[in-house]
Amino acid sequence: MQNRKLGQQGLEASALGLGCMGMSEFYGQGDEAESIATIHRSLELGINFIDTADMYGPFTNEMLVGKAIRERRDEVILATKFGNVRGPNGEFLGIRGDAEYVRQACDASLSRLGVDHIDLYYQHRVDPGVPIEET
């Protein structure tokens, strides 16, 4: 598998990544065992870039990814996103990019993923009411 440099801090991710959104929402009922097997097989094939977001599920996709990588964290470039605010019943509550929300969202993602760091944390949607410098 070819790798690509991301940024200038030395982070290298596989040229192909695995987006995990559909494992928890949007494409029908998910299958946790099959999803975890898919993540593991991707790692076996040399794909180390795993992408999720707090809004997928909502919230459950990060827990799924965290469970799948728990024993293999050092093999993964973990990416997750923030900005699309969802309620506990899946309702869309808007977009937020204010600094307080970003900190809260990051802490919640770390907890759901069960990790001490996220390799690539980025904004899913830009909040037009917040200067990007604040975000």
Side-chain angles (χ1 to χ4, degrees):
M1 176 66 58
Q2 293 181 342
N3 288 331
R4 301 284 191 266
K5 291 186 185 233
L6 300 179
Q8 298 186 9
Q9 273 85 41
L11 188 63
E12 285 195 26
S14 54
L16 296 175
L18 179 65
C20 298
M21 176 186 75
M23 296 177 178
S24 299
E25 189 176 23
F26 302 114
Y27 298 113
Q29 185 69 27
D31 180 319
E32 182 177 283
E34 187 66 27
S35 296
I36 290 172
T38 300
I39 292 168
H40 289 172
R41 182 66 176 140
S42 296
L43 294 171
E44 290 165 12
L45 293 171
I47 294 172
N48 70 353
F49 187 82
I50 307 293
D51 178 80
T52 184
D54 59 1
M55 73 160 284
Y56 301 157
F59 317 117
T60 58
N61 194 253
E62 287 182 327
M63 291 184 277
L64 170 73
V65 170
K67 185 175 183 179
I69 68 168
R70 188 150 292 124
E71 303 300 320
R72 303 177 78 168
R73 178 63 181 98
D74 60 335
E75 298 175 49
V76 174
I77 303 298
L78 180 60
T80 193
K81 300 175 283 297
F82 67 92
N84 285 312
V85 183
R86 297 199 52 199
N89 299 313
E91 63 275 23
F92 287 89
L93 302 175
I95 297 171
R96 284 186 64 185
D98 58 282
E100 178 182 342
Y101 171 76
V102 175
R103 282 189 293 275
Q104 292 170 356
C106 185
D107 286 343
S109 288
L110 287 165
S111 179
R112 284 189 293 269
L113 289 160
V115 298
D116 63 359
H117 69 283
I118 297 164
D119 299 300
L120 181 61
Y121 190 60
Y122 58 108
Q123 192 170 15
H124 212 156
R125 296 288 183 269
V126 174
D127 182 344
V130 176
I132 196 67
E133 295 82 6
E134 179 183 336
T135 302

